[in-house]
């Protein structure tokens, strides 16, 4: 971790993640940068797949096909 935490610091991954005008979404809690909508959908669906493995039979949302369906950060679970 750098000596001073900057606003680009992602607390979910422990690294600097710069965003720019083309960034799709930034989590306001952990500051993870989803550079594209596809990045968000991939990480969200990966988390759902992990839940299906960890908790077989538990009710799990279907995979998202659009970023508009995703309301929480897949890394820190905070609402967007
Ligand atoms: Zn987050």
């Amino acid at each position: 971790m750098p000596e001073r935490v900057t606003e680009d610091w992602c607390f979910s991954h422990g690294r600097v993640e710069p965003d720019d005008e083309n960034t799709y979404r930034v989590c306001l809690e952990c500051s993870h940068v989803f550079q594209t909508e596809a990045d968000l959908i991939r990480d969200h669906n990966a988390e759902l797949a992990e839940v299906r493995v960890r908790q077989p039979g538990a009710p799990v949302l279907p995979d998202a096909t659009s970023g508009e369906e995703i309301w929480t950060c897949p890394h820190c679970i905070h609402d967007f």
Side-chain angles (χ1 to χ4, degrees):
M1 185 182 280
E3 209 166 287
R4 297 176 71 194
V5 174
T6 67
E7 63 185 41
D8 288 340
W9 186 260
C10 170
F11 287 93
S12 284
H13 296 100
R15 65 184 181 215
V16 173
E17 294 184 359
D19 61 318
D20 58 36
E21 67 278 6
N22 296 315
T23 296
Y24 177 68
R25 199 178 293 178
V26 177
C27 176
L28 297 177
E29 183 67 14
C30 73
S31 299
H32 180 72
V33 174
F34 298 94
Q35 201 61 48
T36 67
E37 182 178 13
D39 290 343
L40 172 60
I41 293 169
R42 182 197 62 229
D43 290 0
H44 173 84
N45 289 343
E47 187 60 33
L48 294 181
E50 213 173 285
V51 171
R52 289 185 191 104
V53 170
R54 281 197 314 258
Q55 301 175 31
V60 178
L61 294 170
D63 281 355
T65 55
S66 159
E68 296 307 309
E69 303 169 40
I70 303 170
W71 297 95
T72 58
C73 172
H75 300 294
C76 73
I77 319 300
H78 199 272
D79 290 352
F80 283 129

